[in-house]
Amino acid sequence: MNAFSILIDTNADLPEGYIEEHDLSVIPVPFNLDGTQHSEGNFQKITAKEFYDALRNGGVAGTALINPESYVDVFKSYAEKKEPLLLLTLSSGLSGTYQNSVIALDDVRGDYPDCEIRIVDCSTAAGGSGLVTVLAVKKRGEGVPLDEAADWLEEKKQSCLSLFTVNDLMYLYRGGRLSKLSAIAGSIIGVKPLLNVAPDGTLKLKDKVRGRKGAIKELVGQMMRSLNPGQSLDTVLISHTDCLEDAEALAEIVRSSVEVRELHILMMGPVIGAHVGPGTLALFFEADMTRSEYDAKFYKD
């Protein structure tokens, strides 16, 4: 029997097979497309191809927060059964979902003061949240108790790097995730922007390179700069928004550059896809330094 249960939201983009194999629970982040609301999770009534084609054709998509009431219902179910629960949320630097979960837990603790529930803000998104989940599953497999695992993740998450390139920064600007100045600066024709998730869980435009192939190579270059010589990687996740060929090309370069035990290519769901647009490619892995150390070493903001 597991030492504790793990609850994630649909932003983590983990495959159904992984979720079932590791007995994870999932709470959906609502999203909308051209006024139609979807609240049942990733691509339940619409395929990935349909979603991203709609965006390419001018469709408007957005997301909403998981409300505190939804979290209260889930938390109460675990509190009543006296089952320990770990909740992993989308970055508080990108969404108010984490804050809503904290509000809900404070409410539930009024009736169940001894409930064993911990919330960890993943401080990242998409496959980054997926990677934090993979680490949580492995830690749980060691049989450690809830508090020890949560404390360990709070430290370990800062070594989970999230690097990505997008085709159009204006999606991030319109969604309020990037300043207009940064969006314009990174949208020069022929130049591809490179972004990462900063230590505070927000998005930062970090570099610009010439061409898509250059961007793909530089994603791997940035990854290699964060690793010690000869270092191997346990898990690498690659996410894409309907650009599988580019994801496979990135995976090939990763494999030729570093020893990787497991590499998985994931379709990025609408929770983050609505804000980054089609053609986004992202690389998630555990570095040999924290995000703060990486930024201090390689970037001057």
Side-chain angles (χ1 to χ4, degrees):
M1 185 175 178
N2 291 324
F4 53 88
S5 296
I6 299 175
L7 173 66
I8 62 173
D9 59 51
T10 44
N11 114 87
D13 293 332
L14 290 169
E16 192 63 35
Y18 183 90
I19 290 170
E20 292 178 357
E21 179 183 355
H22 298 286
D23 194 24
L24 305 178
S25 297
V26 183
I27 187 168
V29 179
F31 72 97
N32 62 77
L33 177 63
D34 292 330
T36 299
Q37 300 294 318
H38 301 263
S39 62
E40 62 286 325
N42 288 355
F43 303 126
Q44 295 291 316
K45 294 183 180 178
I46 183 173
T47 67
K49 183 68 174 173
E50 290 169 341
F51 180 79
Y52 290 115
D53 279 347
L55 295 188
R56 291 186 181 100
N57 293 325
V60 177
T63 56
L65 300 181
I66 302 172
N67 59 49
E69 291 77 15
S70 296
Y71 279 122
V72 165
D73 291 340
V74 176
F75 290 162
K76 280 187 175 179
S77 69
Y78 283 90
E80 289 170 353
K81 294 180 289 186
K82 297 184 178 181
E83 291 185 11
L85 174 68
L86 172 66
L87 168 64
L88 305 174
T89 75
L90 170 61
S91 172
S92 60
L94 300 173
S95 167
T97 292
Y98 169 76
Q99 286 84 351
N100 281 354
S101 70
V102 172
I103 290 169
L105 183 54
D106 286 343
D107 185 1
V108 171
R109 280 193 171 136
D111 295 325
Y112 303 91
D114 296 326
C115 67
E116 293 185 76
I117 299 175
R118 287 287 302 269
I119 303 171
V120 172
D121 173 2
C122 289
S123 297
T124 183
S129 297
L131 181 58
V132 174
T133 303
V134 170
L135 293 176
V137 167
K138 290 178 178 177
K139 200 65 176 175
R140 182 180 66 178
E142 296 173 7
V144 302
L146 174 62
D147 284 337
E148 182 180 335
D151 291 343
W152 181 81
L153 286 170
E154 288 286 2
E155 180 179 353
K156 184 62 68 172
K157 69 184 183 183
Q158 283 298 335
S159 297
C160 294
L161 265 60
S162 304
L163 313 175
F164 61 104
T165 184
V166 301
N167 270 342
D168 187 351
L169 281 170
M170 297 311 290
Y171 281 98
L172 286 166
Y173 164 65
R174 287 193 294 267
R177 269 69 179 182
L178 201 66
S179 71
K180 187 174 184 178
L181 182 62
S182 293
I184 293 172
S187 297
I188 302 170
I189 294 175
V191 172
K192 296 301 179 183
L194 296 171
L195 304 96
N196 70 7
V197 178
D200 64 356
T202 59
L203 299 180
K204 299 295 183 183
L205 177 61
K206 288 298 187 182
D207 210 345
K208 299 183 290 293
V209 298
R210 180 67 61 178
R212 182 72 162 183
K213 289 183 179 179
I216 292 173
K217 289 180 180 178
E218 181 56 19
L219 286 176
V220 181
Q222 291 191 8
M223 178 187 74
M224 296 306 296
R225 289 199 292 273
S226 75
L227 301 176
N228 293 324
Q231 177 66 43
S232 63
L233 290 172
D234 190 50
T235 303
V236 171
L237 301 180
I238 293 173
S239 293
H240 68 98
T241 58
D242 198 27
C243 52
L244 180 59
E245 276 191 30
D246 287 345
E248 291 174 339
L250 175 58
E252 184 176 346
I253 298 173
V254 168
R255 288 191 179 103
S256 66
S257 302
V258 63
E259 182 181 348
V260 181
R261 190 176 71 84
E262 288 187 22
L263 187 152
H264 301 282
I265 295 176
L266 311 173
M267 173 66 80
M268 192 179 293
V271 177
I272 303 303
H275 298 289
V276 297
T280 294
L281 191 60
L283 178 61
F284 308 98
F285 59 96
E286 188 180 353
D288 289 324
M289 59 182 70
T290 66
R291 296 180 213 172
S292 294
E293 291 169 340
Y294 184 76
D295 280 2
K297 186 173 182 178
F298 295 109
Y299 294 110
K300 294 181 180 179
D301 290 332

